[in-house]
Amino acid sequence: FSLTGAIVKDERNQSAGITFVLSGFSEYPQLQMPLFLVFFAVYTVSVVGNLGMIVIIRINPKLHTPMYFFLSHLSFLDFCYSSITTPKLLEILVVDVRTISYVGCMMQFFLGCTLVITEMSMLAVMAYDRFVAVCNPLLYTVAMSPKLCSLLVAGTYTWGGMCSLTITCSLLELSFCGSNIIHHFGCEYSAIVSASCSDSHVSLMTCFIISTLNEVCSLLIILASYVFIIVTIIRMPSAGGLRKAFSTCASHLTAITIFHGVILLLYCVPNSRSSQLFTKVATVLFTVVVPMLNPLIYSLRNNDVKETIRKLVNTKKFSHPM
């Protein structure tokens, strides 16, 4: 037993010194620069949009409500997530040496996994918030008190960190020998497992259980919230109230559909060589495009946000006369 343990420990120590090679989109050399320009433009829009949304929510007193409190954290999560993965993607598109250290790879996976699970929980919390706002409007400010909102947000971050730490620890149990090529542009779970030379059954089961638990629980909370919302909307006598209730939920529903749609698309793909390109494209959508879409969805469909942007633009014009 001690000899086996020593061998396993030695393999892990060797793995810790490995430098991974990220294949990225190297099989399409003619597309490296066009892809760099596209991803750089999308990332720029994502950073400006998400940071801009946070600033707008902070400077407009009308937006100091539970819904926008959660939205500011959603924008923060999107900004962090895109900033963890996209810079490395941009780097490997323009350099010949596409490497990442073992520690850097595991850290990128841990942070990315934490943010994804946290955002999944945040969208569920936002669904509950919309349920209270539509179904109990008179008690909304009491039910969604600042203390409760802070506790819900803290809970999503804590839960995301705990789940991610568990999955990452299962990856740390794997050893890597021989080929150290990761057929991806980042440290995505299936790509890391494919590069391992040890038995990954325990890690796969751990990831499957935690991912399924989070996805099912999040979707159940969202589904239950919107069932009650739909029932309440159907019972509304006035068209004005119905329109207001629908506009309150439309942006959130759009964000949920895109987020969970891409996740289901990504993790329902079989792990095979023929699906590697599809997995890369789906991951690009999730890591680069989705973080850009959320601030656009909420700003384009929200009059208060658009009004704040107009005021900022007008103030800028008057403060810099021609």
Side-chain angles (χ1 to χ4, degrees):
F1 176 77
S2 59
L3 179 60
T4 304
I7 293 172
V8 172
K9 186 175 180 181
D10 184 60
E11 287 179 350
R12 289 176 193 162
N13 289 337
Q14 290 178 0
S15 297
I18 284 178
T19 298
F20 292 115
V21 177
L22 301 171
S23 65
F25 295 94
S26 56
E27 62 267 39
Y28 305 102
Q30 71 280 8
L31 294 178
Q32 299 294 296
M33 190 50 65
L35 286 175
F36 173 85
L37 295 174
V38 171
F39 294 152
F40 179 76
V42 173
Y43 177 61
T44 302
V45 174
S46 176
V47 170
V48 173
N50 284 296
L51 293 181
M53 183 65 74
I54 295 171
V55 171
I56 288 169
I57 291 171
R58 286 190 64 86
I59 66 176
N60 189 348
K62 289 178 65 178
L63 303 181
H64 293 175
T65 62
M67 181 180 78
Y68 290 104
F69 175 72
F70 296 131
L71 179 56
S72 65
H73 281 278
L74 185 69
S75 295
F76 174 73
L77 291 169
D78 282 334
F79 164 71
C80 291
Y81 185 61
S82 62
S83 297
I84 287 169
T85 53
T86 310
K88 192 64 182 180
L89 168 60
L90 295 174
E91 178 191 332
I92 65 174
L93 285 171
V94 293
V95 299
D96 294 326
V97 182
R98 306 179 178 91
T99 59
I100 184 170
S101 67
Y102 175 85
V103 174
C105 187
M106 292 303 163
M107 185 60 69
Q108 185 192 71
F109 172 79
F110 169 73
L111 293 174
C113 184
T114 299
L115 292 167
V116 169
I117 295 174
T118 303
E119 181 160 343
M120 192 181 296
S121 302
M122 191 69 68
L123 288 171
V125 168
M126 291 174 74
Y128 173 73
D129 171 71
R130 293 300 82 210
F131 155 71
V132 177
V134 175
C135 300
N136 297 288
L138 298 178
L139 298 175
Y140 178 60
T141 54
V142 177
M144 299 301 294
S145 64
K147 183 177 180 179
L148 176 61
C149 292
S150 298
L151 286 173
L152 288 172
V153 168
T156 61
Y157 283 100
T158 303
W159 177 251
M162 289 172 57
C163 291
S164 179
L165 182 62
T166 304
I167 298 174
T168 305
C169 285
S170 73
L171 281 178
L172 294 175
E173 295 295 318
L174 302 179
S175 57
F176 299 87
C177 49
S179 176
N180 60 341
I181 297 175
I182 291 181
H183 296 284
H184 211 281
F185 59 81
C187 294
E188 193 264 341
Y189 179 80
S190 62
I192 297 174
V193 171
S194 297
S196 171
C197 60
S198 60
D199 184 10
S200 58
H201 178 72
V202 174
S203 180
L204 288 169
M205 283 302 299
T206 302
C207 182
F208 175 77
I209 291 170
I210 293 177
S211 300
T212 303
L213 175 67
N214 278 281
E215 185 71 13
V216 170
C217 289
S218 177
L219 288 176
L220 282 177
I221 293 171
I222 291 168
L223 181 61
S225 298
Y226 275 99
V227 165
F228 284 108
I229 288 171
I230 291 169
V231 171
T232 303
I233 289 175
I234 291 173
R235 292 176 178 174
M236 286 183 176
S238 65
L242 190 147
R243 195 180 306 111
K244 183 179 179 181
F246 178 77
S247 64
T248 301
C249 302
S251 298
H252 182 245
L253 272 173
T254 306
I256 287 171
T257 303
I258 294 173
F259 181 85
H260 285 281
V262 176
I263 280 186
L264 293 173
L265 180 71
L266 183 60
Y267 289 100
C268 286
V269 178
N271 188 19
S272 63
R273 288 191 174 276
S274 61
S275 64
Q276 284 178 0
L277 178 59
F278 184 84
T279 302
K280 289 179 188 178
V281 173
T283 309
V284 165
L285 286 174
F286 193 72
T287 59
V288 183
V289 179
V290 172
M292 177 195 70
L293 292 178
N294 281 340
L296 295 177
I297 291 168
Y298 281 96
S299 62
L300 293 176
R301 298 190 63 89
N302 193 289
N303 292 327
D304 290 330
V305 174
K306 287 190 285 188
E307 182 62 30
T308 305
I309 294 173
R310 277 195 292 267
K311 287 181 179 178
L312 285 174
V313 172
N314 291 334
T315 303
K316 197 76 174 177
K317 285 181 180 178
F318 287 123
S319 61
H320 294 86
M322 297 298 289

